Amino acid sequence: MKYQKNVGGKVNSEALHKISYGLYVVTSGKGENCNGQICNTVFQVTSEPAKIAVSINKQNFTHDFVRESRVFAVSILSKNTPLRFIGHFGFKCGRDVDKFEGINYKGGKTGTRIVTDHAVAYLEAEVIKEVNVGTHTVFIGKVVEAEILTDEEPMTYAYYHKIKRGVTPKLAPTYIKKGGR
Amino acid sequence: MKYQKNVGGKVNSEALHKISYGLYVVTSGKGENCNGQICNTVFQVTSEPAKIAVSINKQNFTHDFVRESRVFAVSILSKNTPLRFIGHFGFKCGRDVDKFEGINYKGGKTGTRIVTDHAVAYLEAEVIKEVNVGTHTVFIGKVVEAEILTDEEPMTYAYYHKIKRGVTPKLAPTYIKKGGR
């Protein structure tokens, strides 16, 4: 049992970026009144029954859709997803463009749209809790539908950054001001 | 814009396992009164200031330590972490054994112990919110210290399962009853 005394105390943002994530399109809304965005902060919080959590920036257009419709879907992106597709959902705003234009999607059980392009699987959830965490809201949802679409490997956030040389948008929970990543 | 009508509606647990995670030791408590466990459900929820969330089963011994001490630390495990080490923190209970016996750790800013063995980085947090999600509690903490320890690649949960052939403990948020994974 070796003990090392603590010295200093600082937050190195690079350490936070050692947390592993996937890459997802989170959609919300009902029928034609839907929007979607790229997100890396999705995780399962319980298995019986299955519940998932997602952290969304309050400034994002999709945030309003989740708050109002109380449903959201998560499309788990494949490792082979083109950067252009990620840019479409990640760096454009649904206030300016119809993000579903030219995109394949299906109608979900909850009435929301689920993006099927480049998705290896999808999850659809009904919001049971929302937690105010400052700049973001953590929405916790009960999974009402989940299905696998392809056998492809999911994209990891590390792969997106290292291999695909993708960038982190300013409103993401994992954004670093000084650039890097 | 191609639309596909929804048919059926079922939850395929395998779809939930397409979400990407890392592998972590979460420790909590103060001074000598500490415990730790393996966890895969850690994510960042905001960047300014940095806050992280972790989902912990209410039946786990570490759960009580987080509730009482209001602090926790996350050691982000390296890809090279031996299965034996993961088994030590993942499949033994702190009620029966002293999990820090023979383990290298350091004292954190909050007074908790941070496991440094096989850790590429660590994060230390003060609980600001706890969310009851049924079988588990999601603890949300403000990061008060974060540091990188080595240049090694972090272990992903997919790597742990596929390459290391690791298993999921029964109380994990991502456990499937029928086995599989």
Side-chain angles (χ1 to χ4, degrees):
Chain A
M1 196 157 67
K2 289 170 204 160
Y3 181 86
Q4 209 184 318
K5 207 183 162 194
N6 181 55
V7 274
K10 58 170 187 165
V11 177
N12 178 350
S13 316
E14 296 295 337
L16 280 144
H17 288 141
K18 300 290 183 182
I19 301 175
S20 297
Y21 302 96
L23 207 63
Y24 314 95
V25 177
V26 173
T27 46
S28 185
K30 301 254 181 167
E32 289 187 8
N33 191 28
C34 280
N35 195 51
Q37 66 160 77
I38 292 290
C39 185
N40 63 308
T41 50
V42 171
F43 76 159
Q44 188 172 354
V45 295
T46 63
S47 66
E48 294 280 338
K51 291 175 201 152
I52 53 174
V54 58
S55 181
I56 297 184
N57 196 300
K58 290 176 183 173
Q59 291 183 54
N60 282 358
F61 198 38
T62 305
H63 186 273
D64 304 342
F65 283 83
V66 185
R67 285 207 81 173
E68 281 157 34
S69 68
R70 318 302 297 164
V71 298
F72 65 92
V74 175
S75 301
I76 302 171
L77 294 179
S78 142
K79 202 166 178 175
N80 304 315
T81 306
L83 270 180
R84 192 170 38 84
F85 181 85
I86 297 168
H88 176 79
F89 278 101
F91 290 92
K92 286 180 184 171
C93 182
R95 293 181 185 96
D96 310 320
V97 294
D98 174 6
K99 289 202 186 176
F100 293 95
E101 181 80 41
I103 299 293
N104 290 301
Y105 60 89
K106 59 171 261 175
K109 193 181 179 182
T110 62
T112 199
R113 286 176 177 178
I114 300 158
V115 171
T116 52
D117 277 342
H118 310 294
V120 300
Y122 69 85
L123 317 167
E124 203 184 346
E126 284 169 357
V127 174
I128 52 163
K129 275 192 185 172
E130 59 175 89
V131 188
N132 179 4
V133 289
T135 53
H136 291 63
T137 301
V138 175
F139 293 102
I140 294 165
K142 185 176 176 292
V143 178
V144 294
E145 188 161 304
E147 202 42 86
I148 289 184
L149 298 174
T150 77
D151 280 344
E152 283 175 57
E153 228 178 296
M155 167 95 80
T156 65
Y157 206 50
Y159 182 86
Y160 168 66
H161 282 286
K162 276 183 213 162
I163 313 298
K164 306 276 274 186
R165 302 206 163 277
V167 292
T168 304
K170 211 172 170 181
L171 299 181
T174 50
Y175 178 71
I176 312 183
K177 211 177 255 168
K178 55 191 176 202
R181 282 215 81 164
Chain B
M1 196 157 71
K2 289 172 205 157
Y3 180 85
Q4 210 185 315
K5 209 184 159 196
N6 181 54
V7 275
K10 56 167 188 168
V11 176
N12 178 349
S13 317
E14 295 295 337
L16 280 145
H17 289 141
K18 300 289 181 181
I19 300 175
S20 296
Y21 302 96
L23 207 63
Y24 314 95
V25 177
V26 173
T27 45
S28 184
K30 301 254 180 169
E32 290 188 9
N33 190 26
C34 279
N35 195 52
Q37 67 161 77
I38 292 290
C39 185
N40 63 309
T41 50
V42 171
F43 76 160
Q44 189 173 355
V45 295
T46 63
S47 67
E48 293 280 338
K51 291 174 201 152
I52 53 174
V54 58
S55 181
I56 297 185
N57 196 300
K58 291 176 183 173
Q59 291 183 52
N60 282 359
F61 197 40
T62 305
H63 186 274
D64 304 341
F65 284 82
V66 184
R67 287 208 79 175
E68 281 157 34
S69 67
R70 318 304 295 167
V71 299
F72 64 93
V74 175
S75 300
I76 302 173
L77 294 179
S78 142
K79 202 167 176 173
N80 305 316
T81 306
L83 269 180
R84 195 171 37 85
F85 181 85
I86 297 167
H88 177 79
F89 278 101
F91 291 92
K92 285 181 186 171
C93 181
R95 291 181 186 98
D96 310 320
V97 294
D98 174 6
K99 289 202 187 177
F100 294 95
E101 180 81 41
I103 300 293
N104 289 299
Y105 60 88
K106 60 171 261 176
K109 193 181 178 182
T110 62
T112 199
R113 287 177 177 177
I114 299 159
V115 171
T116 52
D117 276 341
H118 310 294
V120 300
Y122 69 85
L123 318 168
E124 203 183 345
E126 285 168 356
V127 173
I128 53 164
K129 273 188 188 176
E130 61 173 87
V131 188
N132 180 3
V133 289
T135 52
H136 291 64
T137 301
V138 175
F139 293 101
I140 294 166
K142 186 175 175 294
V143 177
V144 293
E145 187 161 304
E147 203 42 87
I148 289 184
L149 298 175
T150 77
D151 280 343
E152 284 176 55
E153 227 178 296
M155 167 94 80
T156 65
Y157 206 50
Y159 182 86
Y160 168 66
H161 281 288
K162 277 183 213 160
I163 313 298
K164 306 275 274 188
R165 302 204 165 276
V167 292
T168 304
K170 210 171 172 183
L171 300 181
T174 50
Y175 177 70
I176 313 182
K177 209 178 257 167
K178 56 191 175 203
R181 284 214 83 169

